[in-house]
C-alpha cells in the first residue's frame, strides 16, 4: 500500500466512525497523547520501566508495542494533513527540499 492509499483509507475509516469530527486543535492533543505512549514504549524497550505492577515483556512484545504506537501517531498526522488538504507526498517533497537547501554543501 502506498502513502496516498493509506491516507485515503485513514480518512474513510475515521469518518465512518465519526472520529473525524474533532477539530484540529483536539486532534493535535490526541497526537501528543499518542507520542507520549510511543515514548513510553521506547523507554520500556531501551531502559525498562522498573514497575512492579507491570509485567515484564520480551523484545518482540516491546517492538510490537512500538509498532502499534507509531501507527497511532501516523494516523493522527494523516488526519491533520487531510484536514488541511495537504498530501503526505507534498509534505515529504517540500521537507526534503528544505533540508537539502539548508544543508547544501555540507
Amino acid at each position: 500500500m502506498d502513502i496516498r492509499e493509506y491516507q485515503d483509507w485513514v480518512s474513510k475509516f475515521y469518518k465512518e466512525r465519526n472520529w473525524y469530527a474533532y477539530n484540529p486543535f483536539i486532534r493535535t492533543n490526541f497526537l501528543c497523547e499518542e507520542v507520549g505512549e510511543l515514548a513510553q514504549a521506547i523507554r520500556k524497550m531501551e531502559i525498562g520501566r522498573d514497575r512492579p505492577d507491570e509485567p515484564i515483556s520480551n523484545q518482540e512484545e516491546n517492538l510490537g508495542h512500538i509498532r502499534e504506537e507509531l501507527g497511532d501517531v501516523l494516523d493522527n498526522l494523516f488526519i491533520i494533513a487531510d484536514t488541511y488538504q495537504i498530501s503526505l507526498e507534498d509534505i515529504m517533497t517540500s521537507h526534503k527540499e528544505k533540508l537539502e537547501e539548508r544543508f547544501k554543501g555540507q
Side-chain angles (χ1 to χ4, degrees):
M1 175 178 291
D2 70 23
I3 208 159
R4 178 76 249 167
E5 262 182 290
Y6 189 75
Q7 188 171 3
D8 291 342
W9 178 86
V10 166
S11 176
K12 182 176 184 269
F13 184 84
Y14 279 71
K15 284 176 181 175
E16 286 173 353
R17 284 153 187 78
N18 210 26
W19 296 344
Y20 217 84
Y22 298 109
N23 69 46
F25 184 76
I26 292 172
R27 178 61 55 195
T28 301
N29 283 289
F30 289 162
L31 172 61
C32 291
E33 179 181 335
E34 295 301 342
V35 169
E37 291 174 10
L38 174 61
Q40 186 178 51
I42 291 171
R43 175 186 172 192
K44 189 172 187 180
M45 175 76 159
E46 297 300 324
I47 63 173
R49 292 270 298 151
D50 194 24
R51 290 195 44 173
D53 61 334
E54 290 184 8
I56 296 173
S57 53
N58 62 41
Q59 186 171 7
E60 186 176 320
E61 292 170 324
N62 289 339
L63 281 173
H65 194 213
I66 290 170
R67 188 177 293 113
E68 178 183 333
E69 297 305 335
L70 281 168
D72 292 340
V73 167
L74 280 175
D75 282 2
N76 279 286
L77 288 172
F78 279 75
I79 292 167
I80 292 167
D82 195 51
T83 298
Y84 294 105
Q85 299 167 348
I86 303 169
S87 77
L88 272 289
E89 291 95 342
D90 290 346
I91 293 169
M92 291 184 304
T93 300
S94 65
H95 194 71
K96 177 183 174 207
E97 290 169 358
K98 176 185 89 171
L99 290 175
E100 287 177 343
E101 180 63 29
R102 182 179 294 166
F103 294 98
K104 190 182 338 183
Q106 289 188 353

